[in-house]
Amino acid sequence: MRLLLILLLVGALPAPLAAQCQLCRQDGKDAAIAARKASMPLRVEVDTQLDMGRLAVGASGGEVEIDPLTGARRLRGDVRDLGGFAVTGVVTVSGEPGAEVRVTLPPSVDLESGSGASARVTGLATDLGAAPRLGPDGRLVFRFGGRLQVAGATDGDYRGRIPVTVEYP
């Protein structure tokens, strides 16, 4: 909930340079776009949480990776598949139709189990192109994945929060 409030505040800010370059404006079009963006804050909803599935980790540890483009799961090191579904995260963004957005994921996120053990997710990536835009309906749906690194001889149900930041450039 806190993340959503922060994203709404970021989305409510006017475009950074729209009002500063008087010579760059074309018939007030840039100012009108900035005003619409300010009136249409971004809304971010996590539709599906990233889930690495069920794994057994041996003494030397290892990692599991979920590819955001294909949803494929790859195991490396002393890790064995125990079944369950591995699922990419899915996020829906709503805002100004056709607007360009910037999506940022952290470089890593620490997860914890109920027993206090920890694991780290790194390499978080999306299936978005270089300059993502909201569609004509004002929506953008994207998937994300990453690599879970687990030390040897640790078990548990690891959980954590992956902050997804979306803003108008």
Side-chain angles (χ1 to χ4, degrees), residues 93 95-99 133-140:
V93 179
E96 173 66 26
R133 291 189 171 277
L134 301 178
D137 62 351
R139 292 174 27 110
L140 172 67

Side-chain angles (χ1 to χ4, degrees), residues 38-128:
S39 69
M40 294 196 69
L42 289 167
R43 181 174 177 190
V44 179
E45 295 180 44
V46 177
D47 301 323
T48 307
Q49 297 177 7
L50 181 61
D51 189 338
M52 301 293 184
R54 294 177 42 124
L55 308 165
V57 181
S60 60
E63 68 179 28
V64 58
E65 180 178 10
I66 305 291
D67 185 299
L69 295 172
T70 65
R73 178 170 69 165
R74 290 182 281 281
L75 305 176
R76 293 183 189 95
D78 195 6
V79 178
R80 302 293 173 257
D81 183 4
L82 295 179
F85 290 104
V87 180
T88 59
V90 179
V91 175
T92 299
V93 179
S94 303
E96 173 66 26
E100 185 176 342
V101 293
R102 182 176 26 244
V103 176
T104 308
L105 297 171
S108 67
V109 173
D110 291 326
L111 309 178
E112 290 188 16
S113 71
S115 64
S118 65
R120 177 167 282 174
V121 176
T122 62
L124 290 162
T126 71
D127 64 350
L128 294 170

